[in-house]
Amino acid sequence: MVSRKPASRRGKPQLSIAVSACACALIFALLLTFRPRLPASEAVLDAALLWQSMMPRAALSLIAGAALGLSGFLLQRVLRNPIADASTLGIASGAQLAMSIGLSFSPLLLGLSRELIAFAGGLVAVAIVLGLSWRRSLDPVTVALSGMIVTLIASALSVTIILARGEYAMSIYIWGAGSLSQQDWSGVLSLAPRLAAGFAAAVLLLRPLQVLSLDDAGAKSLGVALHVTRLAVLLLAVWLSASVTANVGIIGFLGLAAPAIARFAGARTTRQLVIAAPLTGAALLFFTDCLTQLLGPGFTDIAPAGAATALLGGPLLLYLLPRVHSFAAVTAQTTSAIKRLRSPARVFLMLLIALALVVALVLTTAPANDGWHIASGALFSDLLPLRLPRTIVAAGAGAMLAAAGFIMQRVTGNPIASPEVLGVSTGGGAGLTVALFIFGFPPPFVMLASMAIGALVAFLIMIAIAARAQFAPERLLLAGIAIGAFSMAIVTMVLAQGDMRGYVLLTWLSGSTNRAGSFEAWTAVISLAVLAAPLPFLSRWLTILPLGGPSARSLGLPVGASRLALATIAALMTAVASFLVGPLSLTGLIAPHLARLTGFHRPGQQLAASILIGAGVLVSADWLSRVVIYPYQVPVGLFAALIGGPYLIWLLTRKEAA
């Protein structure tokens, strides 16, 4: 019986094709049948609505879904990576960034060749991802992490441009949620020839695609020009996904879902998948769009097609985790090159002096229209009420993110874990989004509470997933990407509205400290004092937990209770810090690493050093964000992400320690 199962599934290769075609026809018939009937006097208007809006929308959903399904299959085949698609490789965010730049600085150019601009942005993004992953032989986990980094940096730059250009560029973010609304057939006429050309090219590449399923040595032995073939397939896949992004916005994770569902339904060979993946993608997007329309226009406004499909991305990534086998798991081994400090007290004193000097510089020095000035006397007293709260907020948030990152690294035993990488920060954003849905414009206390709940739920899910996989680094990091993607899809649903709630979330994403006052400053000070106070008494837990569950239990440690307590502290720190400076800073990753590289070995020493370094890093980033393009300001969260992103890139590309 066991030996017959694979054969029976291979014997039904057309199942996914038939299911896809039947689903498309059935849903389209239902949509037309159950449309509300209008009086005869409105028949003309009804016909115009049908042929100029509903029919183009239905056709475009089929074409866009097919293009994304084909693009996802091509990316997965050429990279031998079951979780590759335009979302996980940063192609969609790169295209969005390119179009944001085009719309902000040259609207005429964007109107003439938006597909070309989107293609250039997506191509640059995937080139960066492949460049970062090349030294690890395109390891699936490294590719996914590199895609997350590129997406993070591209999103930070996009939000910066939107905030700088105001409502003129806000339409890009609304459009980026992936709306299929149409007023004519221009979108269909633009995208259909591209899909036809892409499918024809994929058919011509059938034999190379079959050979690419082998390893590199096997492909070369069969006479395939490996690099040229990979480049051709990558260009085709990026072109298809960028064309969809340019026409309808970002349709999240559809390219990931379509090939996976096609394989599950019975498609196995390359020829079958080339046909089944586009049909499955078309059926999936068509079904999602029809479902949102049948639920009512209000639901369509709340969850555009792109945001609705993005909600599938997180759970689907979690489902595919067991199928991802990493042969170069990213663990960021840095401890072998670290020398222990002989006098840690002296280094602590140096860190304190450095932090004090940074704070003094921030409070006294700033540029003006006639050059740089050092405030003193009466001028210093006048500026202090403006500068001091902002500095305290940045220092407190940096310290809490550093402490949270250190705790996560110890609990999971993974030195690359952090609130940003594991999706805990965006989990707090999902909690904030739910609060905005329920309360409209909630008071700050409710916002903090909702973010704390969202961050805690995200981290507990993370620990549960990691525990089932014995805290394997690749499963942990990919689960973080999945939870972050799901949480950001929830945030995007509100951003797509374009109302004041979306502006609240956009400001939160940027992490601006411009409006920091006494409430935010006291929140940072009190939260840091209360949440960091128990940590010195938990140093034994922080020392033993990285050894793993069995070892910790053998030493008498209550593993479940200790992880829950530390997770609660880390989640609360992340929520408060993200409320103050946004989710993008990466301070929670780099501060513990810098403390470790400085030479601190014991957990208590590393924690204290991480707190000082995190405070200094974010205070410095806040000051630099004000002076680097004076008189304009870059939000501190985005600026810190642009600093932390290259560090994470270096961490991924450095050679493994011997």
Side-chain angles (χ1 to χ4, degrees):
M1 295 295 294
V2 175
S3 61
R4 292 179 184 177
K5 266 190 174 181
S8 63
R9 293 189 72 179
R10 286 193 299 266
K12 299 178 181 179
Q14 305 304 320
L15 177 60
S16 61
I17 302 175
V19 169
S20 302
C22 292
C24 290
L26 178 60
I27 297 169
F28 186 61
L30 287 174
L31 184 64
L32 292 180
T33 302
F34 290 103
R35 285 176 55 247
R37 298 187 180 278
L38 298 176
S41 59
E42 301 181 15
V44 176
L45 180 61
D46 187 29
L49 179 65
L50 173 65
W51 293 104
Q52 298 301 320
S53 179
M54 294 186 65
M55 291 293 291
R57 178 171 184 152
L60 188 64
S61 66
L62 292 170
I63 295 171
L68 290 175
L70 180 59
S71 174
F73 164 70
L74 294 175
L75 290 171
Q76 292 174 16
R77 175 54 58 90
V78 74
L79 298 177
R80 304 189 189 102
N81 188 343
I83 59 172
D85 89 318
S87 301
T88 57
L89 295 180
I91 297 172
S93 58
Q96 184 185 27
L97 173 60
M99 295 191 67
S100 298
I101 296 173
L103 179 63
S104 299
F105 300 104
S106 182
L108 181 60
L109 177 64
L110 185 66
L112 294 176
S113 56
R114 61 183 183 181
E115 287 86 358
L116 181 61
I117 294 175
F119 174 70
L123 189 61
V124 170
V126 76
I128 294 174
V129 170
L130 296 181
L132 295 177
S133 311
W134 195 262
R135 293 177 64 179
R136 295 180 183 267
S137 303
L138 300 180
D139 167 53
V141 176
T142 307
V143 169
L145 277 174
S146 302
M148 183 201 69
I149 298 169
V150 171
T151 299
L152 181 70
I153 296 176
S155 299
L157 291 174
S158 296
V159 173
T160 302
I161 293 171
I162 291 169
L163 290 174
R165 302 296 292 179
E167 61 183 17
Y168 183 63
M170 183 64 183
S171 58
I172 280 288
Y173 224 99
I174 299 173
W175 158 86
S179 176
L180 293 172
S181 298
Q182 297 293 305
Q183 297 179 349
D184 53 33
W185 290 86
S186 59
V188 175
L189 295 177
S190 173
L191 197 56
R194 290 170 171 79
L195 173 61
F199 183 76
V203 171
L204 293 176
L205 292 171
L206 270 178
R207 182 181 179 276
L209 286 172
Q210 292 173 346
V211 176
L212 284 177
S213 62
L214 307 174
D215 57 14
D216 290 355
K220 290 180 180 179
S221 66
L222 293 176
V224 173
L226 196 58
H227 296 311
V228 175
T229 304
R230 275 182 171 166
L231 179 61
V233 175
L234 279 173
L235 289 175
L236 177 60
V238 173
W239 178 63
L240 285 170
S241 60
S243 298
V244 175
T245 302
N247 279 276
V248 301
I250 297 176
I251 307 293
F253 293 97
L254 192 69
L256 173 69
I261 295 174
R263 293 187 187 95
F264 178 79
R268 289 293 181 269
T269 67
T270 302
R271 187 182 302 275
Q272 294 164 3
L273 285 169
V274 164
I275 300 173
L279 285 177
T280 306
L284 186 60
L285 184 56
F286 190 38
F287 172 77
T288 303
D289 187 48
C290 291
L291 184 62
T292 57
Q293 292 185 70
L294 291 173
L295 290 175
F299 187 85
T300 305
D301 295 336
I302 292 176
T309 56
L311 291 174
L312 302 173
L316 185 62
L317 270 176
L318 295 177
Y319 170 75
L320 293 175
L321 284 185
R323 305 185 181 190
V324 178
H325 302 287
S326 173
F327 46 85
V330 181
T331 55
Q333 299 293 336
T334 58
T335 55
S336 61
I338 296 173
K339 297 181 179 180
R340 297 186 183 184
L341 291 174
R342 295 183 178 179
S343 56
R346 181 181 301 175
V347 181
F348 274 126
L349 181 60
M350 294 174 60
L351 289 176
L352 283 171
I353 294 174
L355 179 59
L357 291 176
V358 169
V359 171
L361 175 69
V362 169
L363 294 177
T364 58
T365 308
N369 293 331
D370 56 346
W372 287 78
H373 292 275
I374 298 178
S376 60
L379 179 60
F380 177 78
S381 300
D382 293 338
L383 292 176
L384 190 62
L386 300 175
R387 294 180 178 176
L388 183 59
R390 182 169 183 169
T391 304
I392 292 175
V393 166
M400 283 186 284
L401 284 173
F406 174 79
I407 293 172
M408 293 179 185
Q409 291 174 12
R410 303 298 295 186
V411 169
T412 62
N414 191 338
I416 206 172
S418 75
E420 303 89 352
V421 174
L422 297 186
V424 180
S425 296
T426 50
L432 175 60
T433 304
V434 173
L436 291 173
F437 263 122
I438 297 175
F439 301 103
F441 295 96
F445 175 78
V446 175
M447 295 171 67
L448 272 173
S450 61
M451 292 185 69
I453 294 173
L456 180 60
V457 170
F459 195 28
L460 290 178
I461 293 174
M462 181 67 49
I463 292 179
I465 295 171
R468 291 187 61 185
Q470 287 76 45
F471 286 91
E474 63 270 17
R475 300 287 178 84
L476 179 71
L477 299 174
L478 290 175
I481 295 174
I483 292 175
F486 183 80
S487 301
M488 277 306 299
I490 296 175
V491 174
T492 303
M493 289 168 59
V494 172
L495 284 174
Q497 309 307 304
D499 56 14
M500 287 304 298
R501 294 178 305 172
Y503 182 76
V504 170
L505 279 177
L506 196 63
T507 305
W508 168 75
L509 278 173
S510 68
S512 176
T513 57
N514 289 338
R515 297 178 178 84
S518 58
F519 172 80
E520 288 79 9
W522 280 112
T523 299
V525 172
I526 295 174
S527 300
L528 177 61
V530 171
L531 296 174
L535 294 179
F537 303 99
L538 304 178
S539 59
R540 181 172 179 268
W541 293 1
L542 295 170
T543 302
I544 296 176
L545 279 176
L547 301 177
S551 300
R553 291 187 185 92
S554 67
L555 294 173
L557 186 70
V559 176
S562 59
R563 282 174 176 166
L564 178 61
L566 291 172
T568 302
I569 295 174
L572 291 174
M573 284 184 165
T574 301
V576 176
S578 300
F579 171 75
L580 297 172
V581 297
L584 303 177
S585 67
L586 288 177
T587 306
L589 172 69
I590 62 177
H593 275 275
L594 292 177
R596 194 176 297 113
L597 291 173
T598 303
F600 293 98
H601 178 72
R602 295 181 178 178
Q605 297 173 352
Q606 289 182 15
L607 174 61
S610 299
I611 289 175
L612 292 178
I613 292 173
V617 165
L618 213 54
V619 169
S620 302
D622 183 49
W623 182 72
L624 290 172
S625 69
R626 284 183 278 157
V627 304
V628 68
I629 55 171
Y630 179 84
Y632 304 102
Q633 297 185 23
V634 180
V636 61
L638 304 181
F639 194 84
L642 297 178
I643 295 174
Y647 175 80
L648 187 53
I649 289 174
W650 172 82
L651 200 63
L652 288 177
T653 56
R654 66 190 295 270
K655 292 183 178 180
E656 294 282 352

